[in-house]
Amino acid sequence: MGRKLKRVSSPARHDWRETARECGFQFHTIEGDLYWDESVRYEFSLTEIERDLEDPTQELHGMCMDLVDHLVRHPEKLSLVGIPTEQWDFVCDSWKRADPHLYGRMDFSYDGDGPAKLLELNYDTPTSLYEASFFQWVWMEQMRERGDLPQGTDQYNRLHEDLLEALVRLRALAGKAHPEEPAFVFTAVAESDEDRGTTQYIQDLASQAGFPTRFLDIFDIGVDAQGRLTDTSEEVIQRIFKLYPWEWLFAEDFAKHLATTPTAWLEPPWKSILSNKGVLPLLWERHPNHPNLLEARFEESPGQELPAGWVRKPVHSREGSNIRIRPPRGEEIVVDGPYGEGPAIWQAYHPLPNFDGRYALVGSWVIGDRASGIGMREDSTLITRDTSRFVPHVIV
Amino acid sequence: MKRSRVLKLSLLGTAPLALVACGSKDRDLTYESVQDCIEEGRATPKTCSTAFNESFKVHYKQAPRFYSEGSCLTEYGNCLRYQENGSNFWIPVMSGFLAGRYVHSYGSTRRPYVVTNGDYGYRPLYRSHDDWNRGTWSTWGSGTGGSGSLTTRTYGSGRSSWGSSSSSSGSSGSSGRISTSSVSRGGFGGSSSASGGWGGS
């Protein structure tokens, strides 16, 4: 059977750069290379979207939530997913009191023929949100308006609405707004355009949902004598959104104050369980041969020889760094990076589909607890990195 | 439809989708009646009546649903019974409608737009007791709904950190600001420089 999912060339809007500027999309070009690429688009059928991506995403999300629940009941297993012992209570308490969460992204290998295979989860600091949720949507609306796409064209993308809805629910949980309410602090590494942009987008939605908000560079977070985190106006941070990985927070100087600060976190601490590759073998163990999972196991010892047909990923790694691929035949592919230390997992080799020389990855979003939409990334190599291009999609 | 119906950003701005009027009043076009809408003059009479009719058409589908009249009345002043597939629901009456959205763009240009067009602009509006106090409206977007069931938990069912903090008091559930003095800063962020300054994945 031939594949059905199509990659077709698409006329770029003549004014897309201007539109990007007006929309506040500043990172469409990264280090001189195009990041947003609308000269091509992916075309899905509704069946491919619903049967092959939306439903599996919803199901896998349920499996992930079950897994968190299981691990919280068996905290001794938390070391498998790299949570330091001193943070176990912090993480488990957050799940037990049902701290709400906002979003996550699953990365799939999918070519329109056969089930989508889960490569990994980004459930703590998923990026490429704004371009998927907002700019991709504006692209399609403009293309339709200008007659470059048929009127009936659709897109699997409820991200914006679902994000707002999730934040409105959070607002309801936080009680009535009042003038003396502490700000909902948004933090990230301010000098990163991409992180800053993504954070600003969510901050915008939070203020629409009725929260007083402010941005704080992560380096500016302080602590008072009682071990409470503070902002630059010398107020205790009571609500915070962070686009910064839990595993990093756990390793830094202020980690010892996490237990004492009365701060509500987004994403909540329990998301640290799902933000690493250790989840993959645990999911396989609980659901062996699930059509959307790839076989995975923990590496037994650090120097162990990687057999052909397997991919090695450190439990904590990001942006495709420190990955080793041993295809069944041919040469090994190694990507260097800063995350080489620590335990690793092996995952069965399942290459990304190649369309016209480009390897495509489907990022499938969960907002609140709902499968909400997708964003396509593509790269000239088998490994999707932070600079891999974002390409829009449509449902035809 | 599998996509969002409305995109609105208050800080980032958005692209002009259907530009009909550049109002100086920086608010959405919300009205209680077609008459109010026409009198204000920011939208054409035709837009006003279309917006009302289209909003009313989707009112029954989009209104928040309650399983009892009592629970509806705890949030809204006026509720009516609505039957669908043999089940009874209570929904609030439609108290107004949205004829257009005010959007201002971000950055140096700062050009405001009013967007009025079916997908983006028209919606039924409701007023809860809170809305009356604040002078706001509520609207509900339900999306078309995916297939399959949702795996949901009831968030905040425990002592959620969102509901109240250590110092909270009163019935509002929200806590006040707490002033303090910092003894140290810069204890977070270090890993980003060690790995090249990028947090996302």
Side-chain angles (χ1 to χ4, degrees), chain A residues 199-230:
Chain A
T199 307
Q200 190 174 23
Y201 174 58
I202 299 168
Q203 184 180 349
D204 189 298
L205 289 164
S207 38
Q208 287 185 49
F211 284 104
T213 66
R214 62 169 300 200
F215 181 79
L216 184 68
D217 191 350
I218 189 138
F219 292 98
D220 288 336
I221 294 177
V223 66
D224 70 5
Q226 289 106 292
R228 299 177 299 186
L229 299 181
T230 59

Side-chain angles (χ1 to χ4, degrees), chain A residues 15-199:
Chain A
D15 56 351
W16 75 266
R17 280 171 198 278
E18 157 129 322
T19 306
R21 191 165 44 76
E22 282 179 1
C23 290
F25 185 24
Q26 284 155 6
F27 50 97
H28 56 72
T29 305
I30 296 175
E31 289 164 10
D33 281 330
L34 207 56
Y35 167 64
W36 166 264
D37 184 359
E38 62 179 68
S39 68
V40 283
R41 63 176 185 253
Y42 283 86
E43 294 188 349
F44 291 80
S45 69
L46 188 58
T47 310
E48 286 167 343
I49 291 290
E50 293 187 335
R51 183 196 60 196
D52 296 346
L53 295 169
E54 186 176 30
D55 290 353
T57 299
Q58 196 66 57
E59 186 185 352
L60 290 171
H61 176 68
M63 286 155 54
C64 291
M65 303 297 266
D66 284 348
L67 176 62
V68 174
D69 198 61
H70 171 76
L71 293 177
V72 166
R73 285 167 209 278
H74 302 277
E76 70 282 358
K77 291 190 185 172
L78 286 177
S79 50
L80 292 173
V81 290
I83 315 274
T85 330
E86 61 274 18
Q87 300 296 349
W88 286 1
D89 284 347
F90 179 66
V91 168
C92 293
D93 288 350
S94 141
W95 175 258
K96 287 177 194 157
R97 64 173 180 251
D99 282 355
H101 70 123
L102 184 63
Y103 64 170
R105 196 190 71 231
M106 298 178 191
D107 289 340
F108 287 115
S109 173
Y110 176 68
D111 65 359
D113 191 15
K117 296 288 187 183
L118 179 71
L119 297 175
E120 55 190 67
L121 294 168
N122 300 282
Y123 258 50
D124 181 23
T125 56
T127 57
S128 78
L129 177 66
Y130 167 80
E131 44 277 42
S133 167
F134 196 85
F135 203 65
Q136 175 176 236
W137 188 93
V138 170
W139 166 82
M140 197 197 72
E141 293 296 329
Q142 285 192 344
M143 292 284 284
R144 276 200 323 164
E145 247 171 46
R146 297 173 186 187
D148 291 323
L149 281 171
Q151 277 308 305
T153 311
D154 203 351
Q155 190 172 73
Y156 175 37
N157 181 7
R158 279 187 306 260
L159 298 173
H160 188 90
E161 268 187 15
D162 288 351
L163 281 166
L164 188 56
E165 211 171 299
L167 288 160
V168 166
R169 284 200 300 269
L170 200 61
R171 174 71 262 184
L173 207 56
K176 285 182 191 169
H178 63 94
E180 280 307 294
E181 183 171 331
F184 185 178
V185 170
F186 283 74
T187 193
V189 176
E191 68 181 28
S192 158
D193 281 351
E194 191 175 355
D195 288 6
R196 184 75 183 84
T198 304
T199 307

Side-chain angles (χ1 to χ4, degrees), chain A residues 90-91 94-95 97-103 123-124 240 242 246 250 264-273, chain B residues 155 161-162:
Chain A
F90 179 66
V91 168
S94 141
W95 175 258
R97 64 173 180 251
D99 282 355
H101 70 123
L102 184 63
Y103 64 170
Y123 258 50
D124 181 23
I240 193 167
K242 47 126 204 112
W246 273 115
F250 289 159
W265 296 86
L266 206 60
E267 295 296 294
W270 61 262
K271 275 300 192 78
S272 59
I273 295 174
Chain B
Y155 292 108
S161 50
W162 283 88

Side-chain angles (χ1 to χ4, degrees), chain A residues 22 54-55 137 141 145 154-155 157 161 165 174 182 204 208 220 223-224 230-231 234 236 238 252 369, chain B residues 2-5 8 10-11 17 111 120 141 147 155 174-176 178 180 182-185 189 191 201:
Chain A
E22 282 179 1
E54 186 176 30
D55 290 353
W137 188 93
E141 293 296 329
E145 247 171 46
D154 203 351
Q155 190 172 73
N157 181 7
E161 268 187 15
E165 211 171 299
D204 189 298
Q208 287 185 49
D220 288 336
V223 66
D224 70 5
T230 59
D231 64 16
E234 294 293 13
V236 173
Q238 299 186 52
E252 295 178 359
D369 287 293
Chain B
K2 309 232 27 121
R3 63 183 187 279
S4 301
R5 287 168 304 183
K8 182 190 171 188
S10 48
L11 305 172
L17 295 165
R111 280 178 296 156
Y120 322 115
S147 43
Y155 292 108
S174 250
S175 49
I178 307 169
T180 185
S182 301
V183 292
S184 166
R185 278 195 199 283
S191 311
S201 59

Side-chain angles (χ1 to χ4, degrees), chain A residues 235-255:
Chain A
E235 282 174 13
V236 173
I237 299 175
Q238 299 186 52
R239 293 168 184 158
I240 193 167
F241 168 91
K242 47 126 204 112
L243 192 63
Y244 195 83
W246 273 115
E247 81 230 29
W248 290 3
L249 295 171
F250 289 159
E252 295 178 359
D253 285 353
F254 280 1

Side-chain angles (χ1 to χ4, degrees), chain A residues 270-291:
Chain A
W270 61 262
K271 275 300 192 78
S272 59
I273 295 174
L274 295 175
S275 64
N276 63 82
K277 314 291 183 280
V279 179
L280 300 167
L282 293 174
L283 281 174
W284 180 261
E285 195 181 290
R286 289 168 70 79
H287 309 273
N289 303 309
H290 187 284

Side-chain angles (χ1 to χ4, degrees), chain A residues 318-373:
Chain A
R318 336 195 125 251
E319 306 121 47
S321 294
N322 300 92
I323 285 180
R324 275 172 58 199
I325 300 179
R326 271 203 74 188
R329 283 175 300 279
E331 274 185 36
E332 186 174 74
I333 304 166
V334 180
V335 182
D336 283 335
Y339 310 109
E341 304 293 306
I345 64 119
W346 292 355
Q347 186 180 49
Y349 176 72
H350 185 89
L352 292 172
N354 188 321
F355 294 87
D356 314 318
R358 290 274 168 175
Y359 294 97
L361 176 87
V362 181
S364 183
W365 289 88
V366 175
I367 309 291
D369 287 293
R370 182 184 191 192
S372 278

